[in-house]
Amino acid sequence: MELVGVIVNGLGIALGTVFGLFFNKINERIKETIMAGIGLTVIALGFTMGLESDRTIVILLSLLFGAVIGEGIDLDEKLNRVGAHLEVRFKKEGKESNIAEGFVTASLIFCVGALAVIGPLDSGIHGNHEILYTKSILDGFTALVLTTTLGFGVIFSLIPVVIYEGVIALFATQIDQFFPESFFNLFIEDMTATGGLLIVAIGLNLLNVTRIRVANLLPSLVIVGFVLFIYLQVPNWFS
């Protein structure tokens, strides 16, 4: 079944959030320091991923076109609107809540990484769920840590994660009919590098250095495939 790994990933996030609630009453200063540590780690991870490809022009154009599309449909506003709705629905009377922030931040972290694409692709193409099982463990621990600072809203991130990865896994069952393996490997490299830059942006936001609308850059993870295809065709146009 193509969606087994996806479901396990969702369960990992849920379990991590539940365990994180037990540590939710720690000192505010400790929470701030933990969040800073998460931000720095996310930035380091993003830079590492960003070096996966040497086709800088592909990454740049993907981000540019992705930003135009993302701003046009304003994914960031829509994601925040969902978070705000969840906050209104589940906020306890008389208590401060950051359910929306937890939902949005966790959703971006769990969806932008390379494993969120490579994992379901492997599930769909080969029926191998090992990558998503590994991601489930990583996301579970990440959810635990995020929950200590951002609260219960983190658990709702499993909804976009399951939908996102599920669509990719189902599409992957037919992907070999459309793309040769050589192109697919290059796409993974460029998508990983593009996603790495988005992860750097998430880290900077976590550190309150910037307020980049990362969700509005998400289309670049799809656009990169089209840009790469055109990039590979250019030499043929002049031969």
Side-chain angles (χ1 to χ4, degrees):
M1 182 180 175
E2 295 85 0
L3 299 180
V4 170
V6 174
I7 294 170
V8 171
N9 196 176
L11 291 174
I13 294 171
L15 287 174
T17 303
V18 171
F19 283 115
L21 290 173
F22 290 105
F23 301 95
N24 201 27
K25 300 185 184 300
I26 59 178
N27 184 282
E28 285 299 321
R29 286 186 60 188
I30 296 177
K31 285 185 179 182
E32 290 178 7
T33 305
I34 289 174
M35 185 58 69
I38 294 173
L40 291 172
T41 303
V42 167
I43 290 173
L45 174 63
F47 275 125
T48 301
M49 291 171 57
L51 298 174
E52 285 290 318
S53 171
D54 57 1
R55 289 172 291 278
T56 307
I57 187 64
V58 173
I59 311 306
L60 175 60
L61 291 175
S62 299
L63 288 171
L64 291 177
F65 289 126
V68 171
I69 295 172
E71 287 292 340
I73 58 181
D74 205 352
L75 286 173
D76 186 78
E77 192 275 335
K78 289 178 172 59
L79 192 60
N80 279 288
R81 188 188 302 169
V82 173
H85 175 74
L86 291 171
E87 187 158 318
V88 170
R89 176 69 178 80
F90 293 97
K91 180 180 179 180
K92 292 183 178 180
E93 196 68 34
K95 288 189 176 182
E96 287 189 14
S97 174
N98 49 4
I99 289 176
E101 184 182 1
F103 165 72
V104 173
T105 301
S107 296
L108 291 172
I109 289 176
F110 297 147
C111 288
V112 168
L115 294 182
V117 176
I118 298 172
L121 283 176
D122 206 29
S123 291
I125 296 172
H126 304 118
N128 184 354
H129 308 296
E130 289 300 318
I131 294 177
L132 280 180
Y133 291 159
T134 301
K135 183 176 183 292
S136 301
I137 297 172
L138 295 174
D139 287 357
F141 279 107
T142 303
L144 187 156
V145 176
L146 287 174
T147 302
T148 63
T149 55
L150 298 177
F152 185 69
V154 172
I155 198 170
F156 296 111
S157 66
L158 70 84
I159 299 172
V161 169
V162 168
I163 294 173
Y164 177 69
E165 293 180 351
V167 169
I168 294 175
L170 293 175
F171 172 72
T173 60
Q174 308 297 323
I175 198 171
D176 57 347
Q177 300 179 25
F178 303 100
F179 303 110
E181 186 175 354
S182 57
F183 175 83
F184 178 71
N185 291 335
L186 293 177
F187 167 71
I188 292 297
E189 289 179 4
D190 289 352
M191 184 278 302
T192 300
T194 304
L197 295 181
L198 300 193
I199 288 179
V200 170
I202 293 171
L204 292 173
N205 285 351
L206 287 173
L207 294 175
N208 292 317
V209 175
T210 59
R211 296 312 306 168
I212 299 171
R213 293 184 291 276
V214 180
N216 285 349
L217 291 170
L218 287 177
S220 61
L221 297 177
V222 177
I223 295 298
V224 67
F226 296 97
V227 175
L228 175 62
F229 178 79
I230 295 172
Y231 173 84
L232 294 175
Q233 301 306 310
V234 169
N236 297 329
W237 296 346
F238 299 96
S239 60

